[in-house]
């Protein structure tokens, strides 16, 4: 694509040769001639002198260089970079159509320009919206509903009656609507399964990672709200509610019936207990364990979770605990000596 | 279903209109007319005044209300609730029969009234017991044996020669019988794979969660005993033995050759080292890391795991470690002053 | 197999009856007549007196027993044991050939003696090397390249354009090449997906565990280097580089753009932050959380990770923190008494 055209599509101001051919997007350290790259962080401005990229997305305040690469100026270079990747990356959506090896129920409803891949399965009464792509080997259960413009990657399981909004992306191997982990202990000590047949709702613009699992509850619903992004190998328990625009990194686990409010960010391997509420905008650093409800806006760490600032300070003391203990032992010795001296002194006076 | 019939099937005493139509089971806060709900915990008795449910499962001692919902009295309301879900939930098992798109080996043995879904695969010499359901896309490997009344959900991998009992449920995407993680370091530093071809045995009444993995060993066996319930994304290493009625929450990991005795409960994200023994009835709270064998009956927490009571107390001190350190520093200052004063005093006397 | 033949193939010195029939390999405690077992650890030498095995692999220095089992002597009995498992274990590779129910693109390139299982899918322009086995239900995406002598187990997803070397083993349900977790926050607070279409390279002799996920990046590549072994349910983020001969136990997670150098060992459930470097030969014990880069050769533990030796000492103090706090409180009381006494003493002198 000509740099001039790219600048127009990204709504950037062009400084340089608009006739340059841009064929790829790359990181600034690895970029080659023909590549577009970006500087979003002032720390990386130094690379402008050395990058081999043909063009760089920068903010309006970055000084121009003679003999430097062409510049595309805009308020949010990283956002423009993401958009440029969409234009230039080596992506290829499958063509619309229903693969003859797929198994689509006669009473399923398939929207216009849908693509259903090889050996994919669409169950009875399922409905799939316009332009949605169901990749090879994916399974859409009986009565499930998927909106428009979704991408269901290979080998995904969407269980019966699950409801999925529009523009949802589900990566390979994810399972949506598996049975929640619910049992009741019987008098003989064995566990009776509580049937789990209630609803799972995935709202618009959600992304769900590879091999992630989202359970359905016995009653009520499990719901992932609009714009939430969930990474790989995450567990969402039955009856959980995930707020809008939440971000869950890989291997996060949320136990049953918990409410995660909007704009929460959970880093990798965070665990959240069941039946609690994580307030709006809470941020938990990696591996945090959250046993109780958390007030909105807090940044938390550790297990059990405490405010991040406190945890950092306590962790700094933790690594020197043996030294602290030694200081206490020394104090005990010094004080014993003092006590002895003072008592001797008092006795001698008495 | 008429409330009278439901009462009979649940063996509950009915107080109220037996002609009521009950169509759904719901939680007490969300129940609507036509719903059955329950109160198992005295804390929820207050909802009896406000619930819109038509009928409520309660213990014999709960006082009746004029104008309240109909009551179904029994010793274990939560157990009855679980049973009612089985009668009323929106569940539908696939009809028996072998889908024409499935791939079933000619020498496989298929029991009576088995259901084999679309694009499922049953390998050579595999045996599947009566009334078992193999959902679409599931794979039963060569020589694997599955008992009666099992439910193998979509896209499960049951590897070659794995043995599964009766009434076992396996959620979507689980893998049973993958190769254990066993290597021997060669003189040049590289890792030689130790072939992992021995047995995996899943006994009766086990449930295995979505995308959970259970490895096979090189020699001996991996065994999950009767009535164990394993949640999603759990790792069971090669040669592990899981006791009867154990409960593993999501994302638990058990390293190779470990023995988990009966009635152990491991909460979410717990990790257990290899070659150790977890005694009968041990309970580990979420994220506990267990590096060594544990005596029966203990409740443990933390990493490395210690008794839960100690861990709670230590954690309470942990969050105030900076304050504790400050107190030690102050003590050091005070004692230095005291030493100086006392020495000055002693000198002046001398 | 005759013991004599086994000894020759394992290049061991035989002491005993070479005509013995060996049919199985077993652990020394469970071995039966007809079994071969091994003693690699001197602690197990005592079992030589009691084992029922017909033959035992031992080092040259182990004393022979009259009436004991036959001995196979070699420098590395455990290595020989692993090799013997390869000869004797109950393994059976599928025959070469393309199953008629598989879906192989007309323009895919399939090497000699390849096996493609039932309902497996090989996409457009994909290339599969000689003698590679693609098990049932596995999916090889468009343009993906797989080398010689690989084993791709059932229901694996190898996404479009992923490159895999030779002798690579991928266990069931693993996903290679899923989209990295990359978003840019837009002015309205929502997250715009950064398209993730760049490369994933898996080098020779790598093993990847069941339901493990390896993401592709937006730019650059994700690379797993020669001889790395990755267990089940591991997350490898986008743009990560995994060094040669690294070992990752189950449920490890590596966040994006991190470099793990050669010969690193991460035990189960270890988490590694993004954009950092783990030096050559680092060992992290189970559940370690690594927020910052680590110098080569360190053994680390805890979260945040510190040297293992320090962590063990600090953990020992941690479990007695309440007692330590009590000692500080007692010191404060004793010092207050001392101060009072001394002041009284000084006053009386004054």
């Amino acid at each position: 694509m000509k740099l001039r055209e790219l600048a127009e599509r990204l709504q950037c101001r062009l400084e340089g040769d608009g006739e340059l051919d841009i064929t790829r997007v790359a990181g600034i350290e690895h970029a080659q001639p023909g590549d577009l790259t970006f500087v979003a962080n002032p720390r990386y401005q130094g690379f402008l002198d050395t990058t081999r990229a043909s063009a760089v997305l920068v903010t309006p305040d970055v000084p121009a260089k003679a003999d430097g690469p062409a510049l595309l100026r805009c308020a949010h270079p990283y956002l423009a970079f993401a958009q440029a990747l969409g234009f230039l990356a080596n992506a290829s959506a499958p063509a619309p159509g229903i693969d003859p090896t797929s198994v689509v129920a006669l009473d399923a409803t398939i929207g216009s320009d849908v693509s259903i891949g090889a050996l994919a399965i669409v169950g009875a009464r399922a409905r799939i919206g316009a332009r949605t792509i169901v990749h090879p080997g994916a399974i859409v259960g009986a009565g499930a509903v998927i909106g428009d413009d979704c991408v269901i990657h290979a080998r995904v399981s969407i269980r019966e009656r699950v409801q999925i909004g529009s523009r949802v992306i589900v990566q390979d191997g994810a399972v949506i609507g598996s049975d929640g982990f619910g049992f009741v202990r019987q008098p003989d000590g064995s566990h009776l399964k509580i049937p789990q047949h209630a609803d799972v709702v995935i709202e618009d613009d959600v992304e769900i990672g590879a091999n992630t699992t989202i359970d359905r509850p016995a009653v009520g619903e499990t719901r992932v709200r609009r714009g939430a992004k969930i990474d790989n190998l995450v567990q969402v328990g039955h009856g959980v509610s995930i707020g809008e625009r939440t971000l869950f990194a890989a291997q996060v686990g949320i136990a049953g019936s918990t409410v995660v409010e909007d704009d929460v960010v959970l880093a990798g391997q965070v665990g959240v207990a069941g039946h609690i509420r994580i307030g709006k905008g809470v941020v938990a650093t990696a591996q945090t364990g959250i046993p109780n409800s958390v007030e909105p806006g807090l940044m938390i760490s550790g297990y059990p979770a405490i405010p991040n600032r406190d945890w950092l300070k306590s962790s700094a003391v933790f690594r020197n605990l043996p030294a602290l203990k030694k200081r206490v032992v020394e104090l005990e010795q010094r004080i014993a000596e003092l006590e002895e001296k003072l008592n001797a002194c008092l006795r001698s006076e008495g």
Side-chain angles (χ1 to χ4, degrees), chain A:
Chain A
M1 189 181 297
K2 295 286 179 206
L3 185 56
R4 186 181 316 282
E5 183 190 346
L6 198 58
E8 275 167 24
R9 292 180 70 172
L10 297 172
Q11 297 184 280
C12 293
R13 186 152 54 82
L14 167 62
E15 295 178 11
D17 179 3
E19 294 306 305
L20 279 170
D21 256 319
I22 300 296
T23 57
R24 207 180 63 150
V25 180
I28 194 160
E29 295 176 71
H30 302 287
Q32 298 297 320
D35 289 354
L36 171 71
T37 189
F38 73 105
V39 173
N41 186 324
R43 283 197 298 162
Y44 284 79
Q45 277 191 28
F47 286 107
L48 278 175
D49 297 335
T50 55
T51 185
R52 304 188 63 203
S54 294
V56 186
L57 288 154
V58 294
T59 47
D61 58 304
V62 170
K65 301 265 174 194
D67 298 330
L71 298 180
L72 296 184
R73 295 189 183 276
C74 59
H76 301 288
Y78 193 52
L79 196 58
F81 165 76
Q83 292 165 331
L85 274 163
F87 304 148
L88 289 170
N90 185 359
S92 51
I98 299 181
D99 191 281
T101 65
S102 65
V103 179
V104 179
L106 290 173
D107 57 358
T109 304
I110 308 296
S112 60
D113 295 320
V114 161
S115 166
I116 302 200
L119 302 175
I121 298 174
V122 180
R125 300 174 310 285
R127 299 206 309 267
I128 297 183
R131 296 169 303 280
T132 283
I133 298 166
V134 178
H135 277 276
I139 299 182
V140 180
V145 178
I146 302 178
D148 300 339
D149 299 297
C150 293
V151 181
I152 311 300
H153 278 282
R155 301 195 307 92
V156 163
S157 274
I158 295 172
R159 288 271 297 262
E160 62 277 12
R161 291 176 287 105
V162 166
Q163 300 161 53
I164 293 183
S166 290
R167 298 173 303 282
V168 169
I169 299 172
V170 186
Q171 298 290 330
D172 307 58
V175 176
I176 304 179
S178 37
D179 291 6
F181 194 66
F183 302 90
V184 49
R185 191 178 283 266
Q186 300 186 100
D188 69 353
S190 69
H191 306 288
L192 178 73
K193 181 177 175 71
I194 302 174
Q196 310 279 321
H197 296 298
D199 299 335
V200 177
V201 181
I202 311 294
E203 297 185 355
D204 295 344
D205 298 302
V206 166
E207 178 153 352
I208 294 170
N211 284 345
T212 279
T213 58
I214 299 180
D215 278 353
R216 71 193 326 142
V219 299
E221 64 175 27
T222 305
R223 181 174 290 260
V224 180
R225 290 174 202 278
R226 182 186 298 261
K229 310 294 184 185
I230 298 178
D231 200 353
N232 299 346
L233 294 168
V234 169
Q235 154 74 357
V236 177
H238 57 320
V240 165
S241 167
I242 306 289
E244 299 187 4
R245 297 173 303 278
T246 52
L247 295 176
F248 289 179
Q251 297 174 320
V252 161
I254 315 285
S257 301
T258 278
V259 176
V260 178
E261 296 185 351
D262 296 347
D263 298 303
V264 165
V265 178
L266 304 183
Q269 299 185 336
V270 166
V272 182
H275 297 273
I276 66 174
R277 175 175 288 265
I278 309 300
K280 181 172 162 67
V282 164
V283 174
T285 60
Q287 292 192 335
T288 296
I290 309 181
N292 300 115
S293 291
V294 181
E295 292 298 304
L298 288 180
M299 181 170 181
I300 56 176
S301 300
Y303 183 58
I306 57 176
N308 173 259
R309 184 179 289 245
D310 296 340
W311 177 78
L312 287 172
K313 288 181 188 165
S314 285
S315 297
V317 179
F318 174 85
R319 69 185 64 185
N320 293 309
L321 272 185
L324 186 67
K325 186 180 173 184
K326 205 170 151 222
R327 285 163 74 173
V328 170
V329 170
E330 286 168 2
L331 279 171
E332 287 171 337
Q333 290 167 343
R334 285 165 69 184
I335 213 163
E337 285 169 26
L338 267 186
E339 284 167 342
E340 201 173 319
K341 272 196 195 172
L342 186 60
N343 286 336
C345 175
L346 290 174
R347 266 197 306 279
S348 74
E349 288 182 11

